[in-house]
Amino acid sequence: MGHTPGMSSPAASAPYTWDDFVALEEDDLRELIDGELVEVEVPTALHETIVWRLCAFLGAWALPRKAGIGFASGSKVRIGERRGVMPDVQFYRSGKEHPGRTDLGLISGHPDLAIEAVSTSSARYDRMTKLAWYASIGVPEYWIVDPATRMLERLVLQGEHYLVAEVYADDAVFRPDSFEGLEIPLAELWTMPLV
């Protein structure tokens, strides 16, 4: 999801904190960027379809394996006292401790996977700012899904930085080795459902 341009200001003058961010109403889609509560653009139907389908594929893979749990847009992740985001999809593996997970969001630690479906207005934010923030809290894997280019990039944390592990495009079937048995036919992400 993109952000309203020009809304961020230096952290020194920014008044908002993590507590303000998690106190927002459930339907308030602002993110906490350097102490400012910044509006995200309203997601398009295609964006929400991509998020819904990614959650469906991950859920269908995880449930029979008891492999973990996922959350879609709206679940908050704390980056720092003046930074908090809502990944489009986040996944937590079973068998790992996630003591920072509360009903209000993730107050410490990190998801095992974060996914962002980018738009024209959010591409820079998702590919640079969020990428650096996810690395700073130790998210081991980050997928960037771009419907405009019909690409999915799988990035893996190596030390303090992400390396591109795989890039899939068009109608390829994405089979990440970190999720053994998961298959995501990308063609199903780019197509709006008929209703």
Side-chain angles (χ1 to χ4, degrees), residues 7-17 32-36 81-83 133:
M7 294 293 292
S8 187
S9 66
S13 64
Y16 297 104
T17 67
L32 180 63
I33 302 175
D34 295 328
E36 291 292 327
E81 182 58 20
R82 295 188 180 274
R83 292 180 178 161
W133 289 356

Side-chain angles (χ1 to χ4, degrees), residues 121-140:
S121 63
S122 74
R124 180 179 171 87
Y125 178 64
D126 291 335
R127 291 182 180 280
M128 296 177 70
T129 304
K130 279 190 172 179
L131 181 138
W133 289 356
Y134 292 148
S136 76
I137 62 169
V139 177

Side-chain angles (χ1 to χ4, degrees), residues 86-101:
M86 297 177 292
D88 289 327
V89 179
Q90 52 189 290
F91 186 81
Y92 297 82
R93 292 185 184 276
S94 295
K96 294 182 74 178
E97 289 189 34
H98 297 287
R101 180 106 209 115

Side-chain angles (χ1 to χ4, degrees):
M1 289 184 278
H3 290 83
T4 305
M7 294 293 292
S8 187
S9 66
S13 64
Y16 297 104
T17 67
W18 171 257
D19 291 335
D20 299 312
F21 180 48
V22 296
L24 295 175
E25 295 293 323
E26 194 171 304
D27 61 348
D28 189 328
L29 298 180
R30 292 180 288 174
E31 290 190 330
L32 180 63
I33 302 175
D34 295 328
E36 291 292 327
L37 292 171
V38 179
E39 292 182 31
V40 298
E41 76 180 45
V42 176
T44 65
L46 179 58
H47 177 279
E48 292 301 273
T49 298
I50 289 170
V51 169
W52 174 70
R53 287 186 173 159
L54 287 168
C55 287
F57 284 119
L58 277 168
W61 172 84
L63 284 172
R65 293 170 173 81
K66 298 184 173 137
I69 188 167
F71 297 95
S73 309
S75 187
K76 296 172 171 69
V77 173
R78 185 179 193 272
I79 305 298
E81 182 58 20
R82 295 188 180 274
R83 292 180 178 161
V85 295
M86 297 177 292
D88 289 327
V89 179
Q90 52 189 290
F91 186 81
Y92 297 82
R93 292 185 184 276
S94 295
K96 294 182 74 178
E97 289 189 34
H98 297 287
R101 180 106 209 115
T102 71
D103 285 343
L104 296 177
L106 185 70
I107 58 172
S108 64
H110 57 76
D112 296 300
L113 168 67
I115 306 174
E116 297 290 351
V118 303
S119 65
T120 303
S121 63
S122 74
R124 180 179 171 87
Y125 178 64
D126 291 335
R127 291 182 180 280
M128 296 177 70
T129 304
K130 279 190 172 179
L131 181 138
W133 289 356
Y134 292 148
S136 76
I137 62 169
V139 177
E141 197 158 330
Y142 180 34
W143 300 352
I144 299 174
V145 181
D146 189 338
T149 60
R150 295 172 51 114
M151 291 177 58
L152 184 151
E153 298 168 65
R154 178 176 168 253
L155 296 97
V156 177
L157 190 63
Q158 296 291 319
E160 297 178 359
H161 304 284
Y162 285 107
L163 297 178
V164 177
E166 300 171 282
V167 178
Y168 289 81
D170 298 320
D171 298 336
V173 177
F174 176 48
R175 295 179 181 97
D177 59 10
S178 54
F179 290 79
E180 187 177 342
L182 174 64
E183 293 188 357
I184 300 176
L186 296 188
E188 293 190 30
L189 299 182
W190 320 133
T191 307
M192 286 291 296
L194 299 174
V195 289

